[in-house]
Amino acid sequence: AFKNKTLKPGSPIELSPLPGSTNCIMPYIYYKTPLYKISQLKGYNHIISISELPKIIEICCRFNRLSSIGIYPEMEILDCRVNNIKSIALSPKLIFLQCSTNHLFTIPSFPILQSLSIKYNLLTALPELPLVRNIMCNDNKITSIHIYPMLLHLDISMNLLTSLPELPNLNYLDISMNY
């Protein structure tokens, strides 16, 4: 495996032209342009950073030692759970974010994000996410949330929530153990 390395273009890692299969749990989308994805960075490596990869659209980098995620202008899918991440830069095309079990105190407002899984972090608030449909943010320190008009699924259990705004389209809600 990789040990205390920074991934750069041309690194010995699988950079697969799309379409193809993925090892991430996020939904897979097909593209006509020759964009790329990292599909084998997961799995108990010791990767500490990833350099600029301007054409990357999907990164699966779970179970590593990353401390931050930079800006990737084309990235739509990011699965970076179980790392040491303290910050995530705004990636304007991000649709799916799985960043559970890290050290995040805050995340940026992603303009087109639809699915957010940010469990087991140190968040005290969530940003405005105008298109979000799914939020799983249990086991943080969240005290209140915004109104998310498109939200269908919310798991905000094990936080410090004292009130809940009106969420008109909500189908599923877990607010257990908020105190």
Side-chain angles (χ1 to χ4, degrees), residues 22 24-28 58 77-79 96-99 115 117:
T22 183
C24 286
I25 63 156
M26 298 298 181
Y28 191 68
E58 177 182 336
I77 298 171
L78 174 60
D79 182 348
F96 298 97
L97 175 59
Q98 164 55 280
C99 198
S115 183
S117 181

Side-chain angles (χ1 to χ4, degrees), residues 58-78:
E58 177 182 336
I59 298 178
C60 182
C61 55
R62 57 189 180 224
F63 300 104
N64 282 289
R65 294 184 180 171
L66 297 172
S67 61
S68 65
I69 298 289
I71 297 174
Y72 299 95
E74 300 297 324
M75 184 170 60
E76 296 181 3
I77 298 171
L78 174 60

